[in-house]
Amino acid sequence: MAQFDVVIIGAGAAGLMCAAQAGYRGRSVLVLDHAKQAGKKILISGGGRCNFTNINASPANYLCSNPHFVKSALARYKAQDFIELVERHGVAYHEKTLGQLFCDDSAKDIVQLLLTECDWAGVTVRLRSHVADIQKTGSGFSLSANGETIHCQSLVVACGGLSMPKLCATPLGYQIAQQFGLKVLPTRAGLVPFTLDKPDLEPLAELAGVSLPVTAQSQDGTLFKEAMLFTHRGLSGPAILQISSFWQPGEDVSLNLLPDTDLAQVLTAMGAKHPNQTLKTALARLLPKRLVEVLAEQGSIDGELPLKALDEGRMKKLVQMLSAYRVHPNGTEGYRTAEVTLGGVDTDELSSKTLEAKQVPGLYFIGEVMDVTGWLGGYNFQWAWASGWAAGQAV
């Protein structure tokens, strides 16, 4: 029988951050994970270079049933705090678009940073450990890991959501919450590509691999201006992943295919110089040629119409179609490719300062397992660091 002050279930971003913080406070800490490698999701993130935070991270970048919940943790452990940690460990990094920070070399650098911190803080990390039989005791909790009984004062659930099951994602965190009477909100895949019905997909099949900048807008008015990618199953790319978290099944998504172009002005100027040029030729200078051909084949545009025949009515109709091109997803690719899980442990059950369950002293939930989901671009890692840090100060 083993005894620790703190047991953390999950050796991911939030769990390892929490472990190091608790260890530095002099707590004896054990991290358990059923995977054979720590930080598996970190390792594949950002194309293997880990988009480890975003310099613009603020509460506005998170979805949560209680939008105020994230404020405390994010205010107490900011993006700059993690950047300083990265710099102390000598990890080279660079900024990409929209404040996204990536490792110059490899996501392995971030995992190594966390494991080094845990090592310095005296934390024990055990992989290939299967947790079972969690019970509340008079002095904390008891649980079984690979048949061994372990006792602890504080139990931290940091085992993530359901996204990317190939990385060993399980519903364990939700099951623990429900076991102790905490409400778990319905979950679904977030930051995930859309799929289209066969009749909608077939005309677009030849566009697989084509990308372009768009503004994607959900029916609630949320919009993101980033790249979109046509795929063999439907639509992907940053703009689509972002809007997927705000999309509800059955809704349309509106796409502005020319977000940076005053189409009427540009086509009028083109028509003045080349009045006999066809609309298809003119649009192919503004949009991917293959996309223009598909729009013509669909009948969305009259490709052979000369620009001189583009009167005010036709121009208005064309601008409306290209600035609010509607797609009707039949669903998403699901947890298989989702970067995050929407929903989870209801934040009303938790302290926003410590992440401790209000009704179960000593039980904490951090990271993706709770109903907090960040935008694409390093925001979910920042929540992992911030929530892990906050709990690490309290356990």
Side-chain angles (χ1 to χ4, degrees), residues 12 18 44 113 130 167 239 264-265 284-285 291 306-307 326 340 376:
C18 180
I44 68 151
L113 174 159
H130 295 272
L167 299 182
Q265 185 181 34
R285 295 171 65 181
L291 174 58
L307 293 182
R326 302 192 83 77
V340 293
L376 183 74

Side-chain angles (χ1 to χ4, degrees), residues 78-93:
K78 300 179 173 69
Q80 189 56 42
D81 294 315
F82 193 76
I83 292 167
E84 288 172 6
L85 181 63
V86 166
E87 290 174 347
R88 284 203 300 276
H89 282 259
V91 176
Y93 66 92

Side-chain angles (χ1 to χ4, degrees), residues 38-378:
K40 288 189 77 171
K41 201 168 179 183
I42 299 173
L43 291 170
I44 68 151
S45 66
R49 289 195 171 176
C50 186
N51 179 191
F52 58 81
T53 192
N54 194 299
I55 59 176
N56 301 318
S58 76
N61 305 117
Y62 294 86
L63 288 82
C64 178
S65 56
N66 175 5
H68 299 290
F69 179 83
V70 300
K71 291 179 178 178
S72 175
L74 290 173
R76 289 156 62 221
Y77 193 86
K78 300 179 173 69
Q80 189 56 42
D81 294 315
F82 193 76
I83 292 167
E84 288 172 6
L85 181 63
V86 166
E87 290 174 347
R88 284 203 300 276
H89 282 259
V91 176
Y93 66 92
H94 58 278
E95 181 181 344
K96 278 194 168 181
T97 57
L98 305 172
Q100 302 168 18
L101 300 186
F102 288 78
C103 297
D104 283 358
D105 185 21
S106 167
K108 292 177 184 175
D109 292 341
I110 299 298
V111 175
Q112 190 55 56
L113 174 159
L114 293 167
L115 291 175
T116 298
E117 287 284 315
C118 284
D119 184 45
W120 290 346
V123 172
T124 302
V125 179
R126 292 184 194 166
L127 304 174
R128 293 189 171 96
S129 295
H130 295 272
V131 174
D133 194 28
I134 300 171
Q135 302 293 333
K136 189 86 173 77
T137 67
S139 59
F141 299 86
S142 71
L143 55 89
S144 169
N146 292 354
E148 179 188 13
T149 299
I150 300 167
H151 289 273
C152 62
Q153 293 173 16
S154 298
L155 180 64
V156 183
V157 180
C159 44
L162 300 173
S163 56
M164 299 187 182
K166 66 184 178 184
L167 299 182
C168 306
T170 75
L172 177 62
Y174 309 133
Q175 292 165 355
I176 295 171
Q178 289 169 333
Q179 175 188 338
F180 288 100
L182 276 67
K183 183 179 179 183
V184 177
L185 300 178
T187 59
R188 62 187 178 91
L191 298 182
V192 63
F194 285 136
T195 55
L196 299 173
D197 278 324
K198 195 173 180 181
D200 296 327
L201 183 61
E202 282 182 340
L204 305 177
E206 63 192 81
L207 294 176
V210 172
S211 69
L212 70 159
V214 302
T215 299
Q217 184 170 349
S218 58
Q219 283 191 201
D220 70 357
T222 303
L223 54 87
F224 290 95
K225 182 183 171 188
E226 289 194 63
M228 180 181 78
L229 173 71
F230 290 95
T231 73
H232 291 291
R233 297 185 187 89
L235 301 172
S236 188
I240 297 301
L241 299 187
Q242 293 279 38
I243 211 68
S244 72
S245 294
F246 296 83
W247 172 82
Q248 298 294 332
E251 293 181 350
D252 286 350
V253 172
S254 176
L255 302 171
N256 184 344
L257 301 179
L258 287 164
D260 297 313
T261 303
D262 184 332
L263 185 60
Q265 185 181 34
V266 170
L267 289 180
T268 299
M270 284 185 182
K273 287 185 177 180
H274 307 285
N276 293 314
Q277 187 177 79
T278 64
L279 180 59
K280 184 168 69 173
T281 301
L283 287 177
R285 295 171 65 181
L286 305 172
L287 291 164
K289 185 179 179 184
R290 284 157 65 192
L291 174 58
V292 175
E293 290 169 351
V294 166
L295 291 173
E297 289 165 10
Q298 283 182 324
S300 297
I301 62 170
D302 182 353
E304 301 307 318
L305 184 76
L307 293 182
K308 64 184 179 184
L310 195 57
D311 57 31
E312 187 178 343
R314 285 176 170 145
M315 181 74 82
K316 188 175 180 181
K317 188 177 176 183
L318 177 67
V319 169
Q320 173 63 25
M321 190 274 295
L322 292 175
S323 63
Y325 185 79
R326 302 192 83 77
V327 293
H328 187 78
N330 68 356
T332 71
E333 291 191 9
Y335 293 119
R336 183 181 64 83
T337 59
E339 298 206 13
V340 293
T341 305
L342 293 159
V345 178
D346 190 341
T347 56
D348 286 348
E349 302 275 10
L350 308 174
S351 160
S352 63
K353 183 178 179 183
T354 65
L355 290 307
E356 184 178 24
K358 294 174 181 175
Q359 304 303 320
V360 190
L363 181 63
Y364 299 76
F365 291 83
I366 57 176
E368 190 184 344
V369 71
M370 73 180 85
D371 174 39
V372 174
T373 303
W375 291 4
L376 183 74

